[in-house]
Amino acid sequence: MKVVLRNLTKKYPGRGRKNAEGVTAVDHFTFEIPDGKLIALLGPSGCGKSSTLNLISGLQKPTEGKIFFGEEDVTDIPAENRGIGLVFQNYALYPHLTVKQNILFPLQNLKGKDRLSKEEMLRKAYEAARLVQIEELMDRKPRELSGGQQQRAAIARALVKRPRVLLLDEPLSNLDARLRLQTREEIRRIQRETGITTVFVTHDQEEAMSISDMIVVMDAGVVQQAGRPQEVYDDPRNLFVAKFLGTPPINVFSGRIKEDKLYIGEEAVLDIREIGDIEGNVVFGKQDEKSPDLGEIGAAREVWAGIRPEGFILKEDGPFSCRLKGVEVMGRDISVVSEHDASENPQVRSIIGTENRVDTSKPLVRFELRPQKVFLFDKETGERIYFRE
Ligand code: ADP
Ligand code: MG
């Protein structure tokens, strides 16, 4: 089932004089979730992820905008009639019911022509339990289960009616690291097996990147960028997205473009032959006097330069020098920790292969940069500035 969000907006009214303005939790969110895909809604706490999910589920009403499931406008349809399955962070199983009774619960509420026989209900409950691999736990109470098992039971309960859309709000946040990893694989498998269109809300970029067909990065209620995880990582549209994705995070420097070069501090670290607009398709040459972006020819333009940790190549006579602080060998690669006056991050982190030898007796470490791992952003707006070497 395709899900279409059109101009979806949620404003919460202000309370009292201090907060009279209210909050726009979701701000003209327009997006199409393709049928059968798993979408991760990713962003920092308070950016409007849960509000968006609650609008899709029908638990909340939008201030503006529309929601379609397929061709059907569901904006005014109550949650219980939308055909959704919901899973929250804190499991929300009924504590006095067994796992089996919890999973059966949504089926027992079916009315009229949808009513099922007892055998049919049990068959469906066991089918859902098998999918999440908890058949042998059906007679236990929730308190007799681990967090991971409880969350599986909650997923089985959400799946038992074969929802049109599955909505998961930070479902792994209460699990310990190992279980989180395992359960996210499980969710991926279940989603693939059932083909149910799924929206997975998380603030954890690694979780989002690893589980989803597509990520939608949000900030302050506004969609920043949507796309396949690797595409968004490789081609961030603005500084926010570049900083939000990746561990270790991208290194951000204050820099400037002057006379065909990117300068960081006093060093020309990269050749910049042409720069272009945010669409990346209109590219202005430096020689083009009418270029609105470049301003006066030869004048420097201040930029943020984001360099991914894997964008550094260790090189003795490389153009970019940082003050060497330490080297951490981490099995597959080496993490070089350094400092730079123009760096926004307290430490610069570079990831290089273990075939490299860093001379730790020297005060400076020198690098060459991989241009496709360097992203430039407007100092004021944070919008991406595209360039060619
Ligand atoms: P997230 O799930 O990304 O952490 P939320 O959707 O929960 O974000 O919240 C988005 C914004 O809306 C936040 O500023 C939050 O404080 C506010 N908000 C959420 N729910 C309510 C509510 N019921 N009343 C007023 N403000 C709310
Ligand atoms: Mg939330």
Side-chain angles (χ1 to χ4, degrees):
M1 177 71 50
K2 166 179 91 173
V3 176
V4 180
L5 312 178
R6 195 179 294 157
N7 265 329
L8 208 57
T9 299
K10 178 67 183 178
K11 290 186 178 143
Y12 296 109
R15 254 191 232 116
R17 246 185 313 153
K18 257 212 213 135
N19 186 18
E21 293 267 299
V23 183
T24 304
V26 183
D27 197 353
H28 296 88
F29 196 125
T30 295
F31 190 67
E32 183 173 321
I33 305 168
D35 179 31
K37 297 289 184 205
L38 194 162
I39 298 296
L41 208 51
L42 172 68
S45 176
C47 75
K49 303 180 297 295
S50 294
S51 298
T52 305
L53 207 74
N54 292 342
L55 294 174
I56 300 174
S57 71
L59 291 179
Q60 291 184 325
K61 275 200 167 307
T63 314
E64 199 188 316
K66 292 213 167 289
I67 303 163
F68 297 84
F69 284 7
E71 301 307 314
E72 183 192 359
D73 182 349
V74 298
T75 316
D76 296 316
I77 294 182
E80 60 271 24
N81 298 334
R82 283 192 192 184
I84 45 138
L86 271 174
V87 178
F88 298 102
Q89 178 176 342
N90 49 1
Y91 325 134
L93 296 170
Y94 302 111
H96 57 288
L97 301 181
T98 63
V99 169
K100 191 197 297 174
Q101 289 165 333
N102 265 285
I103 300 174
L104 281 169
F105 194 83
L107 300 177
Q108 287 160 339
N109 280 336
L110 294 175
K111 301 266 151 54
K113 65 170 173 46
D114 293 328
R115 261 187 89 92
L116 298 172
S117 69
K118 208 161 174 227
E119 293 72 43
E120 189 66 3
M121 279 194 257
L122 272 174
R123 195 185 61 72
K124 281 181 182 271
Y126 271 91
E127 190 183 295
R130 201 170 314 120
L131 200 58
V132 300
Q133 300 175 343
I134 52 162
E135 303 125 283
E136 68 284 9
L137 306 173
M138 290 294 258
D139 294 318
R140 293 205 199 165
K141 294 273 177 66
R143 66 167 182 279
E144 297 163 332
L145 302 179
S146 73
Q149 292 166 334
Q150 288 188 47
Q151 199 54 303
R152 283 162 195 243
I155 294 169
R157 191 178 59 181
L159 288 173
V160 73
K161 276 207 285 183
R162 285 284 155 158
R164 301 199 283 177
V165 182
L166 180 62
L167 305 169
L168 309 161
D169 195 346
E170 311 243 10
L172 309 180
S173 297
N174 283 0
L175 306 182
D176 65 50
R178 217 167 53 94
L179 256 177
R180 208 178 311 150
L181 226 89
Q182 190 189 335
T183 314
R184 96 180 176 208
E185 301 293 318
E186 287 285 288
I187 291 177
R188 189 59 183 144
R189 176 184 62 77
I190 293 162
Q191 196 275 331
R192 286 242 168 87
E193 270 180 50
T194 57
I196 297 174
T197 308
T198 300
V199 183
F200 182 100
V201 161
T202 178
H203 63 274
D204 180 335
Q205 58 93 24
E206 201 189 322
E207 200 167 281
M209 297 276 284
S210 63
I211 202 175
S212 61
D213 296 304
M214 249 178 138
I215 56 172
V216 180
V217 185
M218 279 183 89
D219 184 34
V222 179
V223 175
Q224 301 294 312
Q225 191 168 354
R228 292 225 302 276
Q230 193 65 40
E231 278 170 13
V232 179
Y233 179 83
D234 287 338
D235 197 9
R237 195 180 291 160
N238 59 39
L239 186 59
F240 177 86
V241 174
K243 282 163 84 167
F244 204 76
L245 299 184
T247 42
I250 195 164
N251 300 285
V252 180
F253 299 88
S254 184
R256 61 194 191 286
I257 304 168
K258 193 169 188 300
E259 288 160 357
D260 285 0
K261 305 253 190 269
L262 168 66
Y263 284 83
I264 294 177
E266 296 309 311
E267 292 170 326
V269 297
L270 199 66
D271 289 338
I272 306 282
R273 192 161 54 82
E274 295 174 314
I275 65 172
D277 71 349
I278 189 71
E279 298 293 322
N281 44 18
V282 187
V283 178
F284 301 108
K286 178 174 104 54
Q287 304 310 323
D288 183 352
E289 272 185 73
K290 288 190 276 297
S291 159
D293 263 2
L294 275 170
E296 205 184 311
I297 292 214
R301 176 174 178 178
E302 300 289 322
V303 293
W304 293 120
I307 308 172
R308 294 267 182 226
E310 65 274 25
F312 296 84
I313 303 165
L314 191 71
K315 199 169 178 204
E316 225 167 279
D317 58 349
F320 190 24
S321 63
C322 297
R323 292 190 300 277
L324 185 59
K325 287 292 152 186
V327 172
E328 294 165 11
V329 182
M330 309 178 300
R332 245 176 316 136
D333 31 47
I334 298 175
S335 174
V336 181
V337 182
S338 62
E339 290 176 358
H340 194 288
D341 290 339
S343 172
E344 283 290 294
N345 319 36
Q347 291 185 322
V348 179
R349 283 213 171 247
S350 325
I351 307 287
I352 56 176
T354 45
E355 72 281 5
N356 289 282
R357 285 285 162 269
V358 183
D359 185 351
T360 49
S361 68
K362 295 216 170 120
L364 293 179
V365 58
R366 305 195 77 92
F367 299 108
E368 186 176 70
L369 300 177
R370 291 182 213 280
Q372 71 276 20
K373 293 287 180 183
V374 179
F375 308 119
L376 305 181
F377 304 97
D378 186 278
K379 261 269 164 87
E380 255 113 68
T381 62
E383 294 288 311
R384 176 87 171 271
I385 301 165
Y386 289 84
F387 69 90
R388 279 192 209 148
E389 314 156 69

